[in-house]
Structure formats: C-alpha cells, structure tokens
Amino acid sequence: MKYESQKVALWYFAAAMALFGVQILVGLLAGAVYVLPNLLSELLPFNILRMIHTNALIVWLLIGFFGAAYYLIPEEAETELHSPKLALIQLGLFVFGALAAVVGYLFRIHEGREFLEQPTWIKAAIVVVALMFLYNVTLTVIKGRRTVITNILLVGMWGIAVFFLFSFYNPSNLSLDKMYWWYIVHLWVEGVWELVLASILAFLMIKMTGVDREIVEKWLYAIVGLALFSGILGTGHHYYWIGTPGYWQWIGSVFSALEVAPFFTMVVFAFMMVWKSGRRHPNKAAMLWSLGCSVFAFFGAGVWGFLHTLAPINYYTHGTQVTAAHGHLAFFGAYAMINFAIITYAMPYLRGHRPYNQVLNMWSFWLMCGGMAFMTFVLTVAGVVQTHLQRVLGMDYMEVQSQIALFYWMRLGAGAIVAAGTVLFLYSIFGPAREEQPASIPADYQPAE
Amino acid sequence: MTERFTKAAARNIFYGGSLFFFTAFVGLTALSHSYIVNTSTDKAGLTDAVARGKHVWERNACINCHTLLGEGAYFAPELGNVWLRYGGDKDHDGAVAALKAWMAAQPSGIEGRRQMPQFNLTEKEVEDLAAFLEWTSRINTQSWPPKLSG
C-alpha cells in the first residue's frame, strides 16, 4: 500500500463483509424454510427472507466493488484519492440506506419488483451514493496516471450507475416492465459488472505475478470486448417468453451462447499470467481466490448459463431450479470470489502486517467452493427432475416440489458448509494476525552507539 | 498475443464494437417496445383495474415466492397462467370468487406444507389482482409455459 487514502477501502471491506454475513445467515434460513415450511411462516415469511438474501448480496458486492476501486485506483493513478472524507461519507450513507432497507423489509415496507424492492427514497439515495463515488474516482483518475485498468473500471462503474436509472421506470404494461427491468439486471451482471470483475482481476495479476502491464492490458481489452459483444445482445435470452418478439429466440440463443467466451478467456488469462511469471507471491490465499474466481466464474456463469440458454431448452427449464443453480454459482464464482480475492490481497496491507501463510483463509476457500459446487449440483438435479415432471408430464407444481424434497435437504447441508467457510473467512480476515517471525532484529532493539 | 495486435487496436475494437452492439440492442428494443404495446399485449384491456392489480402484486412482493412468466422466486407456483388454471377464461366470476376464497384461507397452517402469508387484501384489491392476472394470461408468450401446470 503506497497511498494513505487507500485506507478507506478497509471500511468498505468491513461493511461488505458484515452484509455478506447477513446474506449467508438469511440464506441459511430460507434454505431451512424449504425443508421445514412452517418455520417462521408468520413472523418472517419466505418472500421477506428472499428479499433480504438477494438485496444483501447485491449491496455487499457493490460495496466491495467500491472498496476495491478505492484501493486500486490510487495505486494505478499514482496519486492520493481526490477526497477520502467524501469516500467515507459515501459509505456511511450507503450503509445507512442498506440497513434502513433491511429493517424496513422486516416491517413489510418495500416495493415489489424483484431485486428492486427498495423504497423510492432509498433508490434515490443509491443514485446520490453512486454520483459521490463517480465524482471522487473520476477526479482522482483525471489528475493522475491513466491506465487501462482504471479506464475499464470507470466505464464499468459509470455503466452501473446509468443502467440503475431504469429502476425508476415502472410501466403498467407488465411486458414492458420486464423488458426494461433487464436493462438493469442483465446489463449489470452480464455486462458492466464483468468490466469491474475483469479490471480487478487484471490488477491482481499485475501485482501478484509481476507480468508486464502491456501484456495484461491487451488481455483485459480482449476479455471485456468479448464480454460486451456477447453480453449486450445476449440480453435476448431473457426476452424469449415475456411478450417480446420471436426474433429474440435467435438473437438470444446465438449471442448468449457466446457469453462463455469471455469467461473462458479469463481462465486462460489468469493461469497463463501465473505460469509465465514463475514468481511466487507470498499471499498464496489471494492467488488461490484469484485463480479460483476465474474457474468458478467460467463454470457458474459460463457453463451453467449455457446449459439452459438456448431457446428450445429454455422453453422447458425457464424458471425452475436449474435457474436457481446457475444463479447461485454464477454470483458466487464471478462476483463474490473476486471480492474475496481483492480483500484477501489487500487486507494485510490495510492492516499493516506482512502477508503470512494464510492457511485458515485457504481452508475457507475450499469449504465455500466445495459447498457452493455441491449446492449447484443438487439444485441442477432437482431442476432437471422438476423440468421433466412439471414441464413435460404436466404434473402439478406442489406435487413436483414434494418429489424433489430430498435435494432441498442436501442444499441446506451445502449451505451449512458455505456458512462454516464464511465464518472461517471472516476470522482469517479480521481475526488476530499470526505474525511471521521477522528475520531482522525487532525494532525495539536499538544499536548501542 | 502477437506484436501486431497493438493495445491501441484492442482499445478501438473494444469501444467501437461495444458501441455498435449497444446501438443494435437499443434499436431492437425499440422495435420490441412497439410490438409489445400494439401486438403481444392487450392494449385496450390495460384498464385502471389492471394497473392497480399490478400494484397489489408489487406491494405484497408476490414475486419473491412465485414466478410470473418464469421470473421471480421458485418457491411457489407460476402465476402467469394461473387465470387459466382457475378456469377464468371460461368462467370469469367463478375464478374471481375462487381467488377470493384462496386469499382469505391463507395461511393454511397445514404441517409440512409451504405457507402463503395472509395479506389482508380488501375485496376490491383481490378483484384488481384478478384483473391483472387475467390480463397477464392473455400476453402472447410464444406459447410458454409448455403445460398448464406452469
């Protein structure tokens, strides 16, 4: 860490991890309600649990992105942040909005479009927060060195803010509502978020492998180019059955099938950089999360997305547990893991100790990844069975659900493993640092003369 | 990556290509907008009751258990075609009465069965909700879902 103002990232990461804890806790509860349906049914019904689970996820990922940006932009731009104070005010406002939203949800104060349940005043606060962030980082980048990483990161962050504006448009025509709703949801997670992901990954690769910046930047352009060329028209895979024209079945199938390409390129990129450099960075855990992120994003977003993206297949699988399986692994692999990677990388610097042998952190990697992989497998099998019974044989929904109850028990077990990994991760990040014995003489020993 | 593929070339391809695809996407969306308004949904039938019903649907966060045209949570049945499952296309008043009875009877309290909350809707709110679900069932969804079971 070279710049004092990078320190604000510490607060961002702490807030993100607190909300991550909320997400996992409520996710566990929701998973439990699937198998014990009378649990909490009057106090905290499933719709509220799920609202908190998904909203907490989105908000902590965004806070993590903000933190990552505040950490890496000074180092990239080679200058202090324009205003660290503004960054902290921004965080305070965002966390207040997030907490107000969650507490409001508990008292049934919410709107009702999926993921956009925040009351309008909180949506407006989110826009203010985004503008504060963009103002702060844009001015920092302008006064400092411009790099491809900061440029791509900024394009991604501006995109996030611009597309969020569609959340204020809610037409009475349901089909129109749905079509523009995807301008936020899809163009975020299968568009501009990928720019943020790729630029953070590129930053980590430069720092940890020491590979020449020129090479990394060319790869970065290739990855984000593939992401947007496939991802923008790939939105069509959400326009098959919502009242939109039939041509989307062709456009959506072709372009969303290509959405695998940027994720595959990311795997090749990450492994190639590590292999080329031959350097061993002392923060092995950060390296593990970075490489793991590319692999899990490829499987979760790429392979599991492709599994049900072609229109003739999606006709049967649309809105089943197959979708749930893909959603879980894609968010975890692509966006949760890049956050864990940058947090694991930055924490030793932010806390002022040297990267040590982070065995606990690496254990949390295997627990979380193993749990999420198992969850994805069981939900996929549940989804395939559901698709056949409900969509081919035409069996009643609730009857089908009782047929696949066993898989929901296994999903709950997988969730418990992820939760254990979460606790371990949080401890390894915030817990006592196991200091490596320095080879030099401790500082409090003064020379005699 | 060869030497001839310069960073400037990569940058130009990225920004130019993205702009091209985004423009194409916006153009296709504009076409779809007009298709939705004029062709695939019932323009004349989009009454105030339907719009109010959509707000009832939203205020109670139905989407966080149910799916609607396949989108939402996967905890409870698909409702894009529930109007047809209730036989509303043949017996309008019967379906509305059945919906009222269903909403009033929640939660069922049956042990081991998923519980739907009691939303305390007024008669009129349920009627608006029914209008919304009826309007939704008439959207041209390219014949999705494959079965009446949703």
Side-chain angles (χ1 to χ4, degrees):
Chain A
M1 201 179 76
K2 301 189 185 84
Y3 299 91
E4 195 52 35
S5 53
Q6 285 176 288
K7 274 253 158 67
V8 297
L10 183 64
W11 298 101
Y12 275 82
F13 293 153
M17 289 299 98
L19 270 170
F20 171 52
V22 171
Q23 186 220 342
I24 296 300
L25 199 67
V26 177
L28 262 186
L29 271 178
V33 170
Y34 255 93
V35 293
L36 303 166
N38 305 84
L39 185 74
L40 295 173
S41 64
E42 311 228 352
L43 194 64
L44 210 53
F46 184 86
N47 62 343
I48 304 293
L49 289 175
R50 192 208 187 235
M51 199 183 290
I52 298 174
H53 181 60
T54 55
N55 279 233
L57 166 71
I58 297 164
V59 173
W60 88 252
L61 293 177
L62 285 173
I63 294 180
F65 289 164
F66 289 146
Y70 283 135
Y71 183 83
L72 71 83
I73 282 177
E75 225 160 277
E76 285 290 296
E78 296 184 333
T79 175
E80 294 285 355
L81 274 182
H82 174 68
S83 169
K85 196 191 254 173
L86 186 65
L88 289 178
I89 295 172
Q90 179 213 338
L91 178 66
L93 193 59
F94 201 18
V95 169
F96 173 75
L99 290 180
V102 168
V103 173
Y105 293 167
L106 295 176
F107 292 97
R108 316 290 191 270
I109 300 166
H110 52 72
E111 293 185 8
R113 293 194 297 159
E114 196 184 5
F115 313 135
L116 302 177
E117 295 91 348
Q118 314 82 30
T120 308
W121 74 268
I122 293 185
K123 288 199 184 84
I126 293 173
V127 173
V128 172
V129 161
L131 288 176
M132 288 165 90
F133 169 81
L134 291 171
Y135 168 80
N136 209 349
V137 291
T138 306
L139 282 192
T140 309
V141 167
I142 285 174
K143 78 173 169 177
R145 180 182 66 151
R146 311 243 187 119
T147 68
V148 178
I149 289 179
T150 53
N151 282 349
I152 300 291
L153 185 63
L154 277 189
V155 173
M157 289 297 202
W158 274 98
I160 289 176
V162 168
F163 290 121
F164 184 70
L165 295 178
F166 282 90
S167 70
F168 294 96
Y169 176 58
N170 183 9
S172 305
N173 185 315
L174 181 72
S175 294
L176 282 185
D177 169 7
K178 283 178 175 291
M179 183 168 72
Y180 291 108
W181 181 82
W182 285 113
Y183 263 65
I184 315 163
V185 178
H186 178 97
L187 291 182
W188 269 23
V189 300
E190 292 170 67
V192 289
W193 281 33
E194 284 185 46
L195 271 51
V196 176
L197 158 64
S199 52
I200 297 174
L201 189 64
F203 173 79
L204 288 169
M205 285 300 138
I206 287 181
K207 292 292 163 180
M208 288 196 290
T209 67
V211 169
D212 187 41
R213 180 177 284 277
E214 283 289 308
I215 297 173
V216 171
E217 289 179 339
K218 265 196 250 180
W219 275 96
L220 180 56
Y221 272 130
I223 291 168
V224 293
L226 286 171
L228 292 192
F229 298 174
S230 64
I232 293 173
L233 286 176
T235 316
H237 66 179
H238 303 291
Y239 292 169
Y240 294 160
W241 330 114
I242 61 170
T244 26
Y247 56 71
W248 286 112
Q249 292 179 30
W250 283 100
I251 298 170
S253 295
V254 169
F255 282 91
S256 68
L258 295 173
E259 282 184 41
V260 183
F263 289 106
F264 182 72
T265 313
M266 238 181 280
V267 178
V268 177
F269 161 65
F271 280 84
M272 194 110 121
M273 293 304 106
V274 174
W275 172 72
K276 261 185 129 153
S277 87
R279 250 174 55 171
R280 292 282 167 267
H281 193 271
N283 197 333
K284 284 188 195 156
M287 185 59 98
L288 187 61
W289 281 111
S290 305
L291 292 175
C293 171
S294 72
V295 173
F296 271 73
F298 168 66
F299 279 102
V303 177
W304 253 257
F306 178 72
L307 211 63
H308 58 141
T309 201
L310 301 175
I313 294 173
N314 191 265
Y315 182 66
Y316 291 99
T317 60
H318 180 50
T320 62
Q321 294 298 324
V322 174
T323 319
H326 161 60
H328 279 88
L329 199 63
F331 266 98
F332 174 75
Y335 301 122
M337 284 179 77
I338 194 65
N339 267 298
F340 300 145
I342 184 80
I343 291 173
T344 301
Y345 170 79
M347 266 321 220
Y349 300 118
L350 291 169
R351 293 181 62 184
H353 55 70
R354 288 147 47 113
Y356 48 93
N357 185 13
Q358 309 196 60
V359 178
L360 280 185
N361 190 318
M362 289 195 273
W363 268 102
S364 80
F365 171 92
W366 292 110
L367 277 174
M368 276 200 251
C369 290
M372 288 308 297
F374 187 60
M375 184 184 296
T376 305
F377 289 138
V378 294
L379 286 180
T380 304
V381 178
V384 170
V385 175
Q386 181 189 6
T387 299
H388 186 73
L389 294 181
Q390 189 181 322
R391 297 282 165 74
V392 180
L393 301 183
M395 200 187 273
D396 169 70
Y397 175 90
M398 288 309 294
E399 210 174 311
V400 173
Q401 290 299 308
S402 61
Q403 292 288 322
I404 53 181
L406 177 66
F407 299 112
Y408 293 137
W409 278 106
M410 294 199 270
R411 189 263 297 273
L412 181 60
I417 296 171
V418 175
T422 302
V423 172
L424 204 53
F425 182 77
L426 295 180
Y427 180 79
S428 76
I429 289 298
F430 297 112
R434 216 185 47 175
E435 286 291 353
E436 214 170 34
Q437 287 303 313
S440 59
I441 302 162
D444 48 345
Y445 284 103
Q446 294 295 322
E449 67 233 53
Chain B
M1 303 239 173
T2 58
E3 291 304 312
R4 266 174 302 171
F5 182 59
T6 61
K7 203 167 80 182
R11 184 191 62 213
N12 295 341
I13 292 170
F14 167 65
Y15 285 109
S18 300
L19 203 63
F20 169 78
F21 283 107
F22 190 67
T23 311
F25 178 62
V26 170
L28 287 166
T29 311
L31 276 178
S32 301
H33 186 116
S34 119
Y35 173 85
I36 288 171
V37 172
N38 299 307
T39 312
S40 66
T41 65
D42 180 0
K43 194 179 190 174
L46 186 50
T47 58
D48 288 346
V50 173
R52 283 196 306 270
K54 185 166 181 278
H55 284 132
V56 173
W57 167 268
E58 289 169 359
R59 262 202 319 278
N60 295 287
C62 311
I63 199 84
N64 274 300
C65 287
H66 292 278
T67 50
L68 192 64
L69 305 185
E71 295 166 3
Y74 319 106
F75 187 69
E78 161 68 28
L79 296 184
N81 64 345
V82 71
W83 185 252
L84 306 177
R85 275 205 298 280
Y86 269 49
D89 50 338
K90 297 181 195 79
D91 176 9
H92 175 276
D93 295 347
V96 175
L99 185 62
K100 280 181 184 166
W102 173 268
M103 297 302 289
Q106 305 308 316
S108 71
I110 298 171
E111 196 58 37
R113 193 180 160 87
R114 293 184 193 170
Q115 298 297 307
M116 178 162 160
Q118 174 52 252
F119 290 109
N120 300 310
L121 301 183
T122 63
E123 288 257 313
K124 186 157 180 295
E125 282 172 327
V126 182
E127 280 160 18
D128 291 341
L129 186 62
F132 169 64
L133 292 172
E134 181 187 3
W135 183 87
T136 300
S137 76
R138 285 202 305 271
I139 297 175
N140 176 0
T141 56
Q142 313 284 335
S143 42
W144 192 89
K147 297 282 179 188
L148 192 63
S149 50

